[in-house]
Amino acid sequence: MCDTIMALFPAFAEVSKSEIEDTSKELDWLNNTSFQTGDAISLHSRFLEKSIEKPNKREESVPKDFTSSAEEERGKSDGPPKKKKKKSEKKRKKKKKHKKKSGTHSSTSGSDSETIYPSDLKREEERIRKQSSLGTHFSWLDDIQSPTEHLFCVDCKSDAANWTYKSLYRGDVARYRRKGSSTLGLDFHRQGVSWEESDTKKKKKKARVNGNTADRYFSVVTRKLLRAEPPVSVLPATPKSSDALTSTSFLPLDDVERDNTRLQSGDKAEASVNPLGVYDSSTTLWLQGKGQQDHLKQDTEPEEKSGYVTGRTEEFNRRLREQPGDTQLWIQFIRYQDELSAAAFGGDEEQQGGDLAERPKSSYRAILEKKLSIADKAVETNPTCIALQLERLRICQELWEPSTLAKEWKKLVFLHPNSASLWRRYLLFTQSYFSSFTVTKVNSAYGKCLSTLSAVRDGSMVSHPALPGTEEDMLDIFTQQCHFLRQSGHSEKTISLFQAMIDFTYFKPDSVKNLSTKQQVDFFETFWDSGEARVGETGARGWKAWMTQQERGGWVQPPAEEEEEEEEDEEEVKDRSQPRGAVWLEVESSREAADWLPWRPDKAKGQSEEDCEDPDRQVLFDDIGPSLICLSSPELQLRFLLSFLSFLGFPVNFVLSAAPYQPSMFLENLSLLTQGAEVQRPLTSFNLPETGINSVGHMTTLQGTRKWLGLGKQGEKFLGNVFSMLQPVLPPPHRAVLSLSWILYEKLKVLRCLHSGNKKRLRVQGKRSKRVAKRLLKEPDNRSSLVLWREYAHLEWMLSNLDEARKVFSTATAMAGTKGLSSPALCELCLLWSQLEVENTAQELGGVTDVTTSPAVVVLTRLAEGTSSSSSSQTVSPVSILKARRSYEQSLSSSLSSLEQAIQNHQLDEKGAQDDPEEERLRLRGLVGCYALFQYLTVSIQAAIAVYSQARERMEELRRSLTPESQLTSDATMHGHHVSRLASDCEALAVQQAALLKYNNNVGVCPLATLRQALTSALSAWPCSAALWSIYIQVEDRYHSAGRARRFFHAVTRDNGSVVPRLFAIVAEQQRKQLVDAAQRSCCLDEALPILPENGLSNRIRGLFEGAVSTEMGGHCPLLWRMYIHFLVSEGKVDKARGIFYKALQNIPWAKGLYMDAVQLFPEHLQEFVDLMTEKELRLRLPLEELDILLED
């Protein structure tokens, strides 16, 4: 049978045999001609032989003696086992386990010596490579002298880099480490590359975190350990007694000698048990019998550390079980949770408000829930405690939704409708909660509060009795509502509220006085809606006259007087080339200054409500009716009147008008921080203190200027109508207060003209102010008022009419007769006169050496003698000076004694009169100031300091003795008035002393430590005095060492919650930064610095701002937030400033000035800010649509 070759493809079955034989030649391209089969086989066989010979060589290398002995030991089956045998067996077992784990499969012969390990094969492979011929050696072609035709190498271990880099040389592979995550050529704002770490790096980092490597000092773990350390080494040990509060007042020191003897005895005992020194410390202690004791100590150390953290918790729990009704203890326990969380999460920055940024949100929420559970238990135990309820709501503010939180607040004020303090907190929450804030909602909340408290006061709400001081609290809340409306831009509603309250208080008909407040308001609504002229408008007669005339049949309308048409104002947009935001700010501010009065239709001109171009200028009775309250006390009526005058920009007596509940909410003006900086008036610059509160019509940016000095033409007319209407119905003392406020207002306008430097405006305003002052002095009640004569003389002095002013002073002293030092008003007049003379002498002559010819000494000596200062003699004898000093000393001692006796006997009555004899006895600032200035001019500055110290110590002691009684006695209002008057006098004396010491340092040589000590002691007692802080900053600003001032500011702000010292601390650092920046610029006169080098002051100022706004009062202070935003913009950090603006909105959403600052600093977001104001219902006088029309015209 012949063999047939089948074709792979049938289509080619006819191929000839020759073609089939030639197929091998056609497939030569598949063969590797350089590969020699023989070489490969010889190489493989040689490799196997070497691998088999290796174990044999290892056996031969073992010594014969050892081999024989090992064989003999293996043969002895009945002999005892050896240790070496056990060890070798363990090693072999270990190797077998390792071999199984590695997954290598090798054939073994029955004994361990024939086993081939992978490590041996690897070493053998390396050895073979070194000994192989050229065919098996890896080398470069350039290194070979005679390259062969067939050159190859064996690569036993594959390398992925060969395929990646197309190369076999290891040095050609790039090795590098990435530094950072940035990439060149990318836009950081829109593009980025995410570089993920390799697994090995992640493992290394994880090992570094979980390993035993030491953490840095700033890490969370280290801070947690530091905070967990009990301060046993610093504080004295707590005695093991039941009274945990008793502790030693010193740190006990150890007995060094006793410790040395103990150490020596311990060394001897150690030498006896360990003479050769071969035992370790633990064995030595165990031999001494001390091992068990030290072991117990080591075990108790962590227990003591954890016990210190939980020790106070156990103490709180024990005391709360024993005293569940102690509400303050519950509040302390709730606040203690913050300390525990700070100990768990790190340092002190968490306690200062940085916990939200540092701690995990889940942990912080857990802490809040823990505090809430404690608060719930506290409220359950004490359901009637309002403080615990408020603390609970404060915690819930960060946990609950706004709607739930609002319901809880409403429920709380419903359960306690007679608590004015609770209403204040509720109103502050409603006013400052941005998510639910609108002006209408807050205004209605104020109305609900005042109407509810009025019902409680009247007795209409039988379920809850009226608490003491309810009427005063109602007046404070009413004033706070007026400030809220003014700050939100609704000045028309503010003026309407005051108009209605003046009619409701001073012009109430007798027929409705015995009705409840709600019924009186219902009767008043008919008068308000009748269209009758209101207070301040032309032809106003009041509610009482209208009611009487209505009973008689109505008014006979007189013919309307034709009023001169007011000239139209200039164009509102003066420069259309300005940016859109600047034009909006200018027009908005001008309209605010011109149209702050509510609009009323003029019936004589046939106007109706539809003729009003701006509907928001009309005020409905529903907006103001619920806020009307009844004031029965004459003192409260005067306080209300002074509040109205302060809204109009009048300087008022702050003793008679009590301070508001939270004055920081009303601060908007930088004038509070810049007062007292006048070099020409070092002694009298604080006579008109600035309040930092804007008046009605002055709504502009933080650094904006007033359009008018006063209230404008319409405002002055409105003011004159109010005074003419109120003068007949006020008692004489109240009329005197009103006249004094008016003349102080005229002085303030003249002072603003002086600061502006416009001589023409000063001359015009001076004539007007003098005309008003003379008209007031011509009234019968004011002709003998030394207070008004004093202010008129000061007005002439400010206008540089010195001779005329001296004549007025002389006339006033002659009018007082021989009262002398017994008249406080005369003492204050002579004090002002002598201070002006001292300032004038220092400016003209630079100081007078002869005391007898000094004008100030003459004035003060004539005052002590009881004679008029208008005598022709302008000199005094030395004997007269000695007699005057004796008179001053006796008068001061007798006045202090009589004051103390009057307070102890409770013989002071509350008449509110300035000219009342009993009231005059409390006013000692004039007498003390005259005596101290007299001693300074005739003796030395030390004598003046002694006078101030004597008076202030006695008066402050009396004030402290009177303060507890004002809280316990039933007539707390009377004592509170006298406490405030004493406090005002003490503060005024401190300001006088500081101003005199500062003046003495400027004109003479005096140790600065005296002035600094006086300022620090005064500021520790009166930390809210802006005048004292201004002097302190001026003194410390002259010296480059800031450490002392910073420590003092920190000490004051740590113990005081007021925002005033924090504001001045910021101002001090800003002035220091300006000084440093100016010095750095002066170093490079030829070159302009593109940017100033960072000196750390910017970060310090930012830290002060952050600390201030994190406090309760600072968070609701508009001035503080506005200063913060301006500072960041001045530093070039615009984005951060915008962030702070939105953060400020969460705390003060009602402040329109904040929005105006934002428009000025971020004009590109004008549309956004205007929309926000519209959404929150703030007063918007110029919509953007109208602005576009004005710009087009």
Side-chain angles (χ1 to χ4, degrees), residues 165 173-179 195 201:
Y165 296 97
V173 181
R175 293 189 181 187
Y176 61 93
R177 290 182 181 179
R178 173 166 294 280
K179 298 294 184 181
W195 302 97
K201 289 185 178 181

Side-chain angles (χ1 to χ4, degrees), residues 313 560 1053 1162:
T313 305
T1053 54
F1162 320 113

Side-chain angles (χ1 to χ4, degrees), residues 842-893:
Q843 291 178 9
E844 294 182 353
L845 305 177
V848 179
T849 57
D850 190 2
V851 176
T852 58
T853 59
S854 172
V857 174
V858 172
V859 171
L860 295 174
T861 306
R862 298 283 185 250
L863 172 65
E865 293 175 351
T867 59
S868 173
S869 298
S870 60
S871 59
S872 59
S873 176
Q874 295 299 325
T875 59
V876 292
S877 62
V879 177
S880 300
I881 294 176
L882 294 176
K883 290 181 179 180
R885 183 177 297 115
R886 183 65 177 173
S887 300
Y888 275 118
E889 184 179 355
Q890 293 177 354
S891 179
L892 179 60
S893 301

